[in-house]
Amino acid sequence: MQFTSEQRLDDGVLEREFTLGGIPGILWTPESESAPAPLILLGHPGGLRTMYPRLAARARHSVAEGFATATIELPGSGDRPRSAAAEQARAELRRALEAGEPVGEEIVDRLVLPLVEKAVPEWQAALDALLSLPGIGGPVGFSGGVISIGIRLAVVEPRIAAAVLFAGSFVPRALFEEARQVTVPLHVLLQWDDEGNDRQAALDLFDAFGSKEKTLNANMGGHTGVPQFAGDAAAQFLTRHLK
Amino acid sequence: MQFTSEQRLDDGVLEREFTLGGIPGILWTPESESAPAPLILLGHPGGLRTMYPRLAARARHSVAEGFATATIELPGSGDRPRSAAAEQARAELRRALEAGEPVGEEIVDRLVLPLVEKAVPEWQAALDALLSLPGIGGPVGFSGGVISIGIRLAVVEPRIAAAVLFAGSFVPRALFEEARQVTVPLHVLLQWDDEGNDRQAALDLFDAFGSKEKTLNANMGGHTGVPQFAGDAAAQFLTRHLK
């Protein structure tokens, strides 16, 4: 892990960009480190530069709660090399959505499964590197999307102790089945009027999760319209489980 | 409104029993009244004596947040005269549930509609009396069940500024339609594994509410198993809207 830039934000949060095996990432840490901070991995749909304002806002919020917070670029997003197969599947998905046609499971599989296969080991490698830094301890929470990445991480990575998952993307059947193996406490955010999201599929997925403690927090509005109070409730969930 | 008993609970909360037009009720108020307190009406399924421990716990919680909190007995419950028609409908409902048969809409109508018709004006009369007491101001929130009573109150009573509704009882078709006229902010609690509750009907009802701000907070467990953190989130909702 190599730090490539460092800046102190106006609220004292230290923001550092890094690369890890060629993958760019960002780490936000509290101004003063007393005890090792628990860590939150911020999930996102890909494209760190485009997502930066929203990611930084979420990170500053969680750093203020005493968490170290980090994220990495997804495979095929931002400056990372595109996968021709994924681009092809994405184009087919877009075509189906624009035509108002049902999206075939097979398209979702081709788009999401390789992403999950590739991304999850990268997040685990980031976890190794981040947890070896001074001032960062554990436990670790995952917060955000892509929900399929969150599901796989929660199943295969024992250091993930709790997860906030954003319902709102297509989930392959195989990941839906994996959801039954998730046992960590979950807080699932659902935007009730999410244009690109099948509400019933999101409810079925919530039902499938194996976790004994799981909360569905559904609110009005579209995909990016998560209200402030719902963000606060998700933050309280992480604080309750990780601190 | 006549106070019939008064006791100071160990956390300083003043608990007073009252009757209003022959209907028993309980009022809980903060130890010291500085400014007039906003008011929360605690809904329940009927039977103040049986429900007392849970109602008192909820009330102490909300009084600690600075709310005056009150409840009254429902028609046909506790020491109030039974309605033969309602008892008959209740018996038919129980029979259908025990036989695992679908509960006819007509049974639900006979059980719930007269209850709503009778109870809502009583809650409004209680509101008149409570808001005329020194130390109680407004705004007013409704919190609890019977959800059909909460719906009607939210529609007809402009002093209700926000409501926490417990999904978990049969809702007549007419009340389902009235839900579309509800516009106050709502926080709907749903127990995902509620034995006596049709989950899909609860989700449809949530969808029907006309409120621009509405949150569905669904958690694991049966009817009475609302987790502490979900109760806390509901309390935060009321504080956000009433204080």
Side-chain angles (χ1 to χ4, degrees):
Chain A
M1 174 177 257
Q2 288 180 298
F3 289 107
T4 54
S5 79
E6 171 174 331
Q7 65 167 322
R8 186 70 70 174
L9 306 181
D10 52 18
D11 49 4
V13 172
L14 180 62
E15 176 181 287
R16 283 175 283 179
E17 298 188 339
F18 61 83
T19 62
L20 180 71
I23 302 164
I26 314 175
L27 170 63
W28 295 267
T29 45
E31 185 159 21
S32 64
E33 295 157 358
S34 43
L39 174 65
I40 291 175
L41 298 177
L42 287 188
H44 59 84
L48 281 193
R49 238 168 257 177
T50 322
M51 291 295 296
Y52 175 80
R54 282 158 64 194
L55 288 167
R58 284 161 62 198
R60 291 164 86 144
H61 204 282
S62 82
V63 170
E65 298 285 319
F67 293 103
T69 306
T71 191
I72 56 172
E73 185 59 278
L74 292 188
S77 290
D79 297 331
R80 300 189 61 188
R82 299 288 178 272
S83 139
E87 292 299 304
Q88 171 70 22
R90 195 185 308 276
E92 291 176 39
L93 176 81
R94 201 172 297 135
R95 255 197 313 272
L97 288 176
E98 280 166 6
E101 290 164 7
V103 176
E105 282 189 24
E106 178 268 337
I107 298 179
V108 174
D109 284 356
R110 275 193 286 128
L111 181 64
V112 180
L113 289 180
L115 176 69
V116 171
E117 288 294 335
K118 194 154 186 211
V120 167
E122 294 175 354
W123 286 87
Q124 292 184 287
L127 214 42
D128 293 338
L130 291 160
L131 290 174
S132 71
L133 293 174
I136 304 182
V140 180
F142 177 85
S143 175
V146 174
I147 193 167
S148 292
I149 294 175
I151 293 169
R152 172 69 59 81
L153 252 184
V155 170
V156 302
E157 177 49 70
R159 291 173 290 186
I160 300 286
V164 172
L165 299 176
F166 292 5
S169 51
F170 293 94
V171 175
R173 194 73 223 169
L175 268 300
F176 190 97
E177 292 305 319
E178 259 174 71
R180 302 187 195 284
Q181 299 169 43
V182 174
T183 56
V184 295
L186 294 181
H187 185 95
V188 179
L189 286 168
L190 171 64
Q191 287 298 97
W192 200 250
D193 305 312
D194 195 336
E195 318 76 25
N197 187 26
D198 179 336
R199 188 195 296 160
Q200 190 56 53
L203 293 168
D204 291 344
L205 179 61
F206 176 72
D207 193 46
F209 283 116
S211 307
K212 260 191 239 148
E213 183 191 325
K214 52 180 176 179
T215 296
L216 177 70
N217 194 288
N219 292 282
M220 293 308 97
H223 190 66
T224 58
V226 176
Q228 177 64 45
F229 61 81
D232 292 346
Q236 286 175 6
F237 164 84
L238 289 169
T239 298
R240 187 153 51 82
H241 285 287
L242 303 179
K243 297 207 75 172
Chain B
M1 173 177 257
Q2 290 179 299
F3 288 107
T4 55
S5 79
E6 170 174 331
Q7 65 168 321
R8 187 68 72 173
L9 306 182
D10 51 22
D11 49 4
V13 172
L14 180 63
E15 176 181 286
R16 284 175 281 181
E17 299 188 339
F18 61 82
T19 62
L20 179 71
I23 302 165
I26 313 176
L27 170 64
W28 295 268
T29 46
E31 185 159 26
S32 65
E33 295 158 0
S34 43
L39 174 66
I40 291 175
L41 298 176
L42 286 187
H44 59 84
L48 280 192
R49 237 168 257 178
T50 321
M51 290 296 296
Y52 175 80
R54 282 160 62 194
L55 287 168
R58 284 162 60 197
R60 291 164 87 145
H61 204 283
S62 82
V63 170
E65 298 285 318
F67 293 102
T69 307
T71 191
I72 57 173
E73 186 60 277
L74 292 188
S77 289
D79 297 332
R80 300 188 61 186
R82 298 289 178 273
S83 139
E87 293 299 303
Q88 171 71 21
R90 195 185 308 276
E92 291 175 40
L93 176 82
R94 200 172 296 134
R95 254 198 313 272
L97 287 177
E98 280 166 7
E101 290 165 6
V103 176
E105 282 190 23
E106 177 268 339
I107 299 178
V108 175
D109 284 356
R110 276 193 286 127
L111 180 63
V112 180
L113 289 180
L115 176 67
V116 170
E117 289 294 334
K118 195 155 185 209
V120 168
E122 293 175 356
W123 285 89
Q124 292 184 287
L127 214 42
D128 293 339
L130 290 161
L131 290 175
S132 71
L133 293 174
I136 303 182
V140 181
F142 178 85
S143 176
V146 175
I147 193 167
S148 292
I149 294 176
I151 293 170
R152 172 69 58 83
L153 251 185
V155 170
V156 302
E157 177 48 68
R159 290 173 291 186
I160 300 286
V164 172
L165 298 176
F166 293 2
S169 52
F170 293 93
V171 175
R173 193 74 224 169
L175 268 299
F176 190 97
E177 293 305 319
E178 259 175 72
R180 303 187 195 282
Q181 298 169 43
V182 174
T183 56
V184 295
L186 294 181
H187 186 96
V188 179
L189 286 167
L190 171 63
Q191 286 299 96
W192 200 249
D193 306 311
D194 196 336
E195 319 76 28
N197 186 26
D198 180 335
R199 188 194 299 161
Q200 190 57 53
L203 293 169
D204 291 344
L205 179 61
F206 176 72
D207 193 46
F209 283 117
S211 307
K212 257 189 246 154
E213 184 190 323
K214 52 181 176 178
T215 296
L216 177 71
N217 194 290
N219 292 283
M220 294 306 99
H223 190 67
T224 58
V226 177
Q228 177 63 46
F229 61 81
D232 292 346
Q236 285 174 8
F237 164 85
L238 290 169
T239 297
R240 187 152 50 84
H241 284 287
L242 302 179
K243 295 206 78 173

PDB file of all heavy atoms in Angstrom, chain A residues 197-216:
ATOM      1  N   ASN A 197     -34.647  -0.364  -9.617  1.00  0.00           N
ATOM      2  CA  ASN A 197     -34.598  -1.462  -8.659  1.00  0.00           C
ATOM      3  C   ASN A 197     -35.961  -2.156  -8.588  1.00  0.00           C
ATOM      4  O   ASN A 197     -36.989  -1.506  -8.513  1.00  0.00           O
ATOM      5  CB  ASN A 197     -34.245  -0.912  -7.276  1.00  0.00           C
ATOM      6  CG  ASN A 197     -34.019  -2.003  -6.262  1.00  0.00           C
ATOM      7  OD1 ASN A 197     -33.646  -3.119  -6.611  1.00  0.00           O
ATOM      8  ND2 ASN A 197     -34.254  -1.687  -5.009  1.00  0.00           N
ATOM      9  N   ASP A 198     -35.943  -3.456  -8.607  1.00  0.00           N
ATOM     10  CA  ASP A 198     -37.163  -4.236  -8.474  1.00  0.00           C
ATOM     11  C   ASP A 198     -37.457  -4.391  -6.979  1.00  0.00           C
ATOM     12  O   ASP A 198     -36.766  -5.108  -6.267  1.00  0.00           O
ATOM     13  CB  ASP A 198     -36.946  -5.604  -9.141  1.00  0.00           C
ATOM     14  CG  ASP A 198     -38.173  -6.496  -9.038  1.00  0.00           C
ATOM     15  OD1 ASP A 198     -38.987  -6.300  -8.114  1.00  0.00           O
ATOM     16  OD2 ASP A 198     -38.289  -7.389  -9.883  1.00  0.00           O
ATOM     17  N   ARG A 199     -38.499  -3.685  -6.522  1.00  0.00           N
ATOM     18  CA  ARG A 199     -38.780  -3.655  -5.083  1.00  0.00           C
ATOM     19  C   ARG A 199     -39.035  -5.049  -4.521  1.00  0.00           C
ATOM     20  O   ARG A 199     -38.544  -5.402  -3.447  1.00  0.00           O
ATOM     21  CB  ARG A 199     -39.984  -2.743  -4.816  1.00  0.00           C
ATOM     22  CG  ARG A 199     -40.219  -2.494  -3.345  1.00  0.00           C
ATOM     23  CD  ARG A 199     -41.605  -1.903  -3.132  1.00  0.00           C
ATOM     24  NE  ARG A 199     -41.733  -0.614  -3.760  1.00  0.00           N
ATOM     25  CZ  ARG A 199     -42.922  -0.058  -4.072  1.00  0.00           C
ATOM     26  NH1 ARG A 199     -44.036  -0.694  -3.790  1.00  0.00           N
ATOM     27  NH2 ARG A 199     -42.966   1.117  -4.639  1.00  0.00           N
ATOM     28  N   GLN A 200     -39.806  -5.842  -5.270  1.00  0.00           N
ATOM     29  CA  GLN A 200     -40.131  -7.173  -4.762  1.00  0.00           C
ATOM     30  C   GLN A 200     -38.861  -8.022  -4.639  1.00  0.00           C
ATOM     31  O   GLN A 200     -38.704  -8.787  -3.692  1.00  0.00           O
ATOM     32  CB  GLN A 200     -41.151  -7.862  -5.669  1.00  0.00           C
ATOM     33  CG  GLN A 200     -41.719  -9.150  -5.087  1.00  0.00           C
ATOM     34  CD  GLN A 200     -42.355  -8.947  -3.712  1.00  0.00           C
ATOM     35  OE1 GLN A 200     -43.203  -8.086  -3.546  1.00  0.00           O
ATOM     36  NE2 GLN A 200     -41.912  -9.706  -2.716  1.00  0.00           N
ATOM     37  N   ALA A 201     -37.950  -7.880  -5.596  1.00  0.00           N
ATOM     38  CA  ALA A 201     -36.690  -8.632  -5.522  1.00  0.00           C
ATOM     39  C   ALA A 201     -35.895  -8.212  -4.291  1.00  0.00           C
ATOM     40  O   ALA A 201     -35.282  -9.045  -3.611  1.00  0.00           O
ATOM     41  CB  ALA A 201     -35.873  -8.410  -6.796  1.00  0.00           C
ATOM     42  N   ALA A 202     -35.936  -6.909  -3.987  1.00  0.00           N
ATOM     43  CA  ALA A 202     -35.215  -6.421  -2.804  1.00  0.00           C
ATOM     44  C   ALA A 202     -35.836  -6.984  -1.524  1.00  0.00           C
ATOM     45  O   ALA A 202     -35.119  -7.358  -0.582  1.00  0.00           O
ATOM     46  CB  ALA A 202     -35.221  -4.897  -2.777  1.00  0.00           C
ATOM     47  N   LEU A 203     -37.163  -7.058  -1.478  1.00  0.00           N
ATOM     48  CA  LEU A 203     -37.837  -7.609  -0.295  1.00  0.00           C
ATOM     49  C   LEU A 203     -37.538  -9.104  -0.162  1.00  0.00           C
ATOM     50  O   LEU A 203     -37.315  -9.604   0.943  1.00  0.00           O
ATOM     51  CB  LEU A 203     -39.352  -7.368  -0.389  1.00  0.00           C
ATOM     52  CG  LEU A 203     -39.793  -5.897  -0.311  1.00  0.00           C
ATOM     53  CD1 LEU A 203     -41.265  -5.758  -0.702  1.00  0.00           C
ATOM     54  CD2 LEU A 203     -39.569  -5.340   1.095  1.00  0.00           C
ATOM     55  N   ASP A 204     -37.519  -9.806  -1.299  1.00  0.00           N
ATOM     56  CA  ASP A 204     -37.203 -11.239  -1.266  1.00  0.00           C
ATOM     57  C   ASP A 204     -35.770 -11.460  -0.773  1.00  0.00           C
ATOM     58  O   ASP A 204     -35.499 -12.398  -0.017  1.00  0.00           O
ATOM     59  CB  ASP A 204     -37.362 -11.853  -2.661  1.00  0.00           C
ATOM     60  CG  ASP A 204     -38.829 -11.903  -3.090  1.00  0.00           C
ATOM     61  OD1 ASP A 204     -39.707 -11.754  -2.218  1.00  0.00           O
ATOM     62  OD2 ASP A 204     -39.087 -12.086  -4.296  1.00  0.00           O
ATOM     63  N   LEU A 205     -34.873 -10.591  -1.220  1.00  0.00           N
ATOM     64  CA  LEU A 205     -33.474 -10.711  -0.793  1.00  0.00           C
ATOM     65  C   LEU A 205     -33.356 -10.464   0.713  1.00  0.00           C
ATOM     66  O   LEU A 205     -32.678 -11.210   1.425  1.00  0.00           O
ATOM     67  CB  LEU A 205     -32.608  -9.717  -1.574  1.00  0.00           C
ATOM     68  CG  LEU A 205     -31.121  -9.714  -1.223  1.00  0.00           C
ATOM     69  CD1 LEU A 205     -30.477 -11.070  -1.505  1.00  0.00           C
ATOM     70  CD2 LEU A 205     -30.387  -8.610  -1.996  1.00  0.00           C
ATOM     71  N   PHE A 206     -34.051  -9.427   1.184  1.00  0.00           N
ATOM     72  CA  PHE A 206     -34.037  -9.166   2.624  1.00  0.00           C
ATOM     73  C   PHE A 206     -34.521 -10.392   3.388  1.00  0.00           C
ATOM     74  O   PHE A 206     -33.939 -10.793   4.402  1.00  0.00           O
ATOM     75  CB  PHE A 206     -34.910  -7.956   2.961  1.00  0.00           C
ATOM     76  CG  PHE A 206     -35.003  -7.688   4.437  1.00  0.00           C
ATOM     77  CD1 PHE A 206     -33.918  -7.186   5.135  1.00  0.00           C
ATOM     78  CD2 PHE A 206     -36.163  -7.968   5.145  1.00  0.00           C
ATOM     79  CE1 PHE A 206     -33.977  -6.966   6.505  1.00  0.00           C
ATOM     80  CE2 PHE A 206     -36.242  -7.739   6.512  1.00  0.00           C
ATOM     81  CZ  PHE A 206     -35.148  -7.237   7.190  1.00  0.00           C
ATOM     82  N   ASP A 207     -35.585 -10.996   2.880  1.00  0.00           N
ATOM     83  CA  ASP A 207     -36.135 -12.181   3.529  1.00  0.00           C
ATOM     84  C   ASP A 207     -35.122 -13.334   3.539  1.00  0.00           C
ATOM     85  O   ASP A 207     -35.060 -14.112   4.495  1.00  0.00           O
ATOM     86  CB  ASP A 207     -37.415 -12.613   2.795  1.00  0.00           C
ATOM     87  CG  ASP A 207     -38.219 -13.634   3.576  1.00  0.00           C
ATOM     88  OD1 ASP A 207     -38.413 -13.423   4.789  1.00  0.00           O
ATOM     89  OD2 ASP A 207     -38.639 -14.640   2.995  1.00  0.00           O
ATOM     90  N   ALA A 208     -34.311 -13.412   2.486  1.00  0.00           N
ATOM     91  CA  ALA A 208     -33.392 -14.550   2.341  1.00  0.00           C
ATOM     92  C   ALA A 208     -32.195 -14.486   3.292  1.00  0.00           C
ATOM     93  O   ALA A 208     -31.650 -15.533   3.677  1.00  0.00           O
ATOM     94  CB  ALA A 208     -32.896 -14.629   0.899  1.00  0.00           C
ATOM     95  N   PHE A 209     -31.777 -13.295   3.680  1.00  0.00           N
ATOM     96  CA  PHE A 209     -30.576 -13.191   4.513  1.00  0.00           C
ATOM     97  C   PHE A 209     -30.695 -14.073   5.755  1.00  0.00           C
ATOM     98  O   PHE A 209     -31.729 -14.074   6.421  1.00  0.00           O
ATOM     99  CB  PHE A 209     -30.327 -11.745   4.955  1.00  0.00           C
ATOM    100  CG  PHE A 209     -29.742 -10.886   3.869  1.00  0.00           C
ATOM    101  CD1 PHE A 209     -30.432  -9.806   3.354  1.00  0.00           C
ATOM    102  CD2 PHE A 209     -28.483 -11.170   3.349  1.00  0.00           C
ATOM    103  CE1 PHE A 209     -29.902  -9.017   2.350  1.00  0.00           C
ATOM    104  CE2 PHE A 209     -27.930 -10.389   2.346  1.00  0.00           C
ATOM    105  CZ  PHE A 209     -28.649  -9.308   1.840  1.00  0.00           C
ATOM    106  N   GLY A 210     -29.622 -14.788   6.075  1.00  0.00           N
ATOM    107  CA  GLY A 210     -29.653 -15.702   7.206  1.00  0.00           C
ATOM    108  C   GLY A 210     -29.481 -15.034   8.561  1.00  0.00           C
ATOM    109  O   GLY A 210     -29.647 -15.681   9.593  1.00  0.00           O
ATOM    110  N   SER A 211     -29.161 -13.768   8.588  1.00  0.00           N
ATOM    111  CA  SER A 211     -28.846 -13.070   9.841  1.00  0.00           C
ATOM    112  C   SER A 211     -30.028 -13.067  10.800  1.00  0.00           C
ATOM    113  O   SER A 211     -31.166 -12.843  10.385  1.00  0.00           O
ATOM    114  CB  SER A 211     -28.461 -11.616   9.539  1.00  0.00           C
ATOM    115  OG  SER A 211     -27.446 -11.567   8.583  1.00  0.00           O
ATOM    116  N   LYS A 212     -29.713 -13.309  12.070  1.00  0.00           N
ATOM    117  CA  LYS A 212     -30.769 -13.253  13.086  1.00  0.00           C
ATOM    118  C   LYS A 212     -31.190 -11.817  13.329  1.00  0.00           C
ATOM    119  O   LYS A 212     -32.351 -11.536  13.584  1.00  0.00           O
ATOM    120  CB  LYS A 212     -30.264 -13.876  14.395  1.00  0.00           C
ATOM    121  CG  LYS A 212     -30.751 -15.299  14.575  1.00  0.00           C
ATOM    122  CD  LYS A 212     -30.465 -15.794  15.979  1.00  0.00           C
ATOM    123  CE  LYS A 212     -29.591 -17.024  15.902  1.00  0.00           C
ATOM    124  NZ  LYS A 212     -28.679 -17.201  17.000  1.00  0.00           N
ATOM    125  N   GLU A 213     -30.219 -10.910  13.309  1.00  0.00           N
ATOM    126  CA  GLU A 213     -30.578  -9.493  13.404  1.00  0.00           C
ATOM    127  C   GLU A 213     -30.463  -8.853  12.041  1.00  0.00           C
ATOM    128  O   GLU A 213     -29.371  -8.736  11.491  1.00  0.00           O
ATOM    129  CB  GLU A 213     -29.697  -8.737  14.404  1.00  0.00           C
ATOM    130  CG  GLU A 213     -30.189  -7.290  14.507  1.00  0.00           C
ATOM    131  CD  GLU A 213     -29.274  -6.343  15.254  1.00  0.00           C
ATOM    132  OE1 GLU A 213     -28.632  -6.765  16.226  1.00  0.00           O
ATOM    133  OE2 GLU A 213     -29.202  -5.165  14.841  1.00  0.00           O
ATOM    134  N   LYS A 214     -31.589  -8.480  11.480  1.00  0.00           N
ATOM    135  CA  LYS A 214     -31.572  -7.727  10.226  1.00  0.00           C
ATOM    136  C   LYS A 214     -32.725  -6.748  10.259  1.00  0.00           C
ATOM    137  O   LYS A 214     -33.826  -7.069  10.721  1.00  0.00           O
ATOM    138  CB  LYS A 214     -31.643  -8.648   9.006  1.00  0.00           C
ATOM    139  CG  LYS A 214     -32.766  -9.661   9.003  1.00  0.00           C
ATOM    140  CD  LYS A 214     -32.756 -10.551   7.750  1.00  0.00           C
ATOM    141  CE  LYS A 214     -33.847 -11.609   7.831  1.00  0.00           C
ATOM    142  NZ  LYS A 214     -33.907 -12.485   6.648  1.00  0.00           N
ATOM    143  N   THR A 215     -32.452  -5.538   9.794  1.00  0.00           N
ATOM    144  CA  THR A 215     -33.452  -4.485   9.753  1.00  0.00           C
ATOM    145  C   THR A 215     -33.592  -4.013   8.318  1.00  0.00           C
ATOM    146  O   THR A 215     -32.583  -3.800   7.644  1.00  0.00           O
ATOM    147  CB  THR A 215     -33.021  -3.289  10.633  1.00  0.00           C
ATOM    148  OG1 THR A 215     -32.967  -3.718  11.992  1.00  0.00           O
ATOM    149  CG2 THR A 215     -33.998  -2.128  10.507  1.00  0.00           C
ATOM    150  N   LEU A 216     -34.817  -3.889   7.864  1.00  0.00           N
ATOM    151  CA  LEU A 216     -35.076  -3.256   6.574  1.00  0.00           C
ATOM    152  C   LEU A 216     -35.531  -1.840   6.861  1.00  0.00           C
ATOM    153  O   LEU A 216     -36.506  -1.630   7.584  1.00  0.00           O
ATOM    154  CB  LEU A 216     -36.174  -3.999   5.815  1.00  0.00           C
ATOM    155  CG  LEU A 216     -36.569  -3.372   4.470  1.00  0.00           C
ATOM    156  CD1 LEU A 216     -35.456  -3.529   3.445  1.00  0.00           C
ATOM    157  CD2 LEU A 216     -37.864  -3.977   3.955  1.00  0.00           C
TER     158      LEU A 216
END
